[in-house]
Amino acid sequence: MHQIEFKDLVIFIRIAETGNFHDAAELTHLSQPALSRRMQKLEAILGVPLFERTTRKTWLTSVGREFLPKARRMVEEFELSVLGIKDMASQQKGKVTIACIPTAAFYFLPSVINVFNERYPGIRIQILDESANHGLESVIRGDADFGINMAIAQHPEVTFTPLLDDPFVVCLRRDHPLCDLQEVSWEDIAPYKLISVGRASGNRILLDKSLARDQVNLNSFYEVQHLSTSLGLVEMGLGISIVPKLAMPLSTASVLTSRPLKGQQIDRSIGLVKRSSTSLSPAADLFINILLERWSVS
């Protein structure tokens, strides 16, 4: 049985990244016919085509798209094993890809990235700021090394490690009448137009469950797709919104403020999502170690 060679994986990745055989041949210092022969050999070993080609364009097949993150991990793990653990801090040139819900990206990542960059300046970081469902899919497919997501985004193929409980709050303009209250009840909210995110949102699902449990009907007048849009509409004075506390602006100069919900607390658990069936790349492992040092729930 033929074995896949390291060089063939590198060639496959370069073709996928450049979108054509000519540029990939230059990057790998091969003639185009030699590169084509190597790709044909790799496809023969795998038993499936990895690319579709025309005279002008090359693109990945569905199998090729699925194989690409696996090939990147294999190449990275091989390179790191050659460098040796002792030299990782000074010589490593890998990449960590994180699928993170946008509200958590601002909160969790900056302090961790600062420490990580100081220790491992050669490792690049890519952040996929995605919804809970899309972020979970990115981790399962291997497009991301790991994710920071809500506990609601569960799947048999991933594990979840809690990092923080994020309470929902009422988002208001500072000149709104409800700002006179220390806490806001469902009854207080009822007369006002509510700005909600779409029903497919993980945040909306959590909120709707709480409203159904308490048999509460609110005046959900506007519906948007993103929390950032709901904050913008509140800022314009069009209504109020119930959002995770992490979504609130950090600046004290903002016209927006928040009040806690009265009588009960609706929380979303934010945590680390990893594939349970495959090992992490060494670079991702290093990042997660720093993340857990900083944010792990005691």
Side-chain angles (χ1 to χ4, degrees):
M1 181 179 176
H2 296 289
Q3 291 186 339
I4 295 175
E5 295 182 26
F6 175 77
K7 182 77 171 178
D8 296 338
L9 293 174
V10 174
I11 290 168
F12 165 68
I13 293 167
R14 294 295 174 264
I15 297 171
E17 290 175 343
T18 60
N20 66 79
F21 277 56
H22 177 268
D23 291 348
E26 288 190 352
L27 289 171
T28 53
H29 308 292
L30 289 171
S31 67
Q32 198 165 327
L35 181 135
S36 296
R37 286 194 298 272
R38 277 187 169 270
M39 234 348 70
Q40 289 167 2
K41 184 186 77 172
L42 178 59
E43 290 178 325
I45 292 171
L46 296 174
V48 289
L50 298 172
F51 294 100
E52 299 279 359
R53 292 182 69 182
T54 65
T55 54
R56 294 186 177 182
K57 190 178 178 184
T58 300
W59 64 95
L60 289 164
T61 62
S62 58
V63 175
R65 287 194 299 273
E66 187 175 337
F67 183 59
L68 181 59
K70 296 180 175 68
R72 283 178 170 146
R73 284 199 301 275
M74 285 188 280
V75 168
E76 183 179 8
E77 287 174 6
F78 176 81
E79 289 174 339
L80 292 177
S81 67
V82 171
L83 286 174
I85 299 299
K86 290 189 301 182
D87 299 327
M88 285 171 69
S90 59
Q91 299 182 45
Q92 193 177 46
K93 301 294 180 185
K95 184 173 82 168
V96 178
T97 301
I98 308 161
C100 187
I101 53 175
T103 49
F106 296 111
Y107 189 81
F108 285 100
L109 295 183
S111 61
V112 179
I113 288 173
N114 281 337
V115 175
F116 188 79
N117 282 341
E118 288 176 6
R119 294 185 192 175
Y120 312 106
I123 302 178
R124 293 177 294 123
I125 296 170
Q126 180 182 18
I127 299 170
L128 308 177
D129 47 338
E130 300 179 310
S131 68
N133 288 334
H134 289 159
L136 181 63
E137 289 171 7
S138 292
V139 173
I140 292 169
R141 286 196 309 264
D143 295 341
D145 294 297
F146 62 92
I148 297 174
N149 212 321
M150 294 187 288
I152 197 171
Q154 295 282 3
H155 192 278
E157 294 181 37
V158 303
T159 60
F160 180 84
T161 304
L163 297 173
L164 177 81
D165 286 331
D166 182 24
F168 280 74
V169 296
V170 182
C171 175
L172 312 154
R173 278 181 59 97
R174 292 184 184 274
D175 57 3
H176 194 279
L178 291 180
C179 283
D180 294 335
L181 303 176
Q182 292 298 311
E183 296 178 315
V184 177
S185 69
W186 296 134
E187 291 76 17
D188 296 326
I189 293 170
Y192 299 100
K193 291 179 180 177
L194 188 67
I195 301 161
S196 304
V197 290
R199 295 184 184 277
S201 161
N203 293 313
R204 176 67 180 271
I205 292 168
L206 283 173
L207 184 58
D208 283 351
K209 282 183 178 178
S210 295
L211 293 172
R213 181 192 63 209
D214 296 341
Q215 298 181 325
V216 173
N217 290 311
L218 296 179
N219 181 18
S220 189
F221 196 83
Y222 303 100
E223 185 172 298
V224 299
Q225 294 304 307
H226 302 286
L227 281 172
S228 57
T229 308
S230 68
L231 297 183
L233 295 184
V234 174
E235 190 171 328
M236 295 299 293
L238 295 177
I240 63 176
S241 190
I242 301 171
V243 302
K245 193 170 184 179
L246 289 185
M248 291 298 300
L250 297 175
S251 172
T252 54
S254 171
V255 300
L256 299 180
T257 187
S258 67
R259 293 291 182 270
L261 287 163
K262 187 176 182 179
Q264 62 178 294
Q265 190 162 299
I266 307 171
D267 289 317
R268 60 174 190 170
S269 179
I270 306 293
L272 179 69
V273 176
K274 297 188 294 184
R275 287 182 301 278
S276 49
S277 58
T278 56
S279 60
L280 288 166
S281 70
D285 222 3
L286 292 170
F287 191 97
I288 285 176
N289 287 339
I290 297 173
L291 178 70
L292 293 178
E293 285 173 16
R294 179 72 179 83
W295 292 110
S296 184
V297 175
S298 55

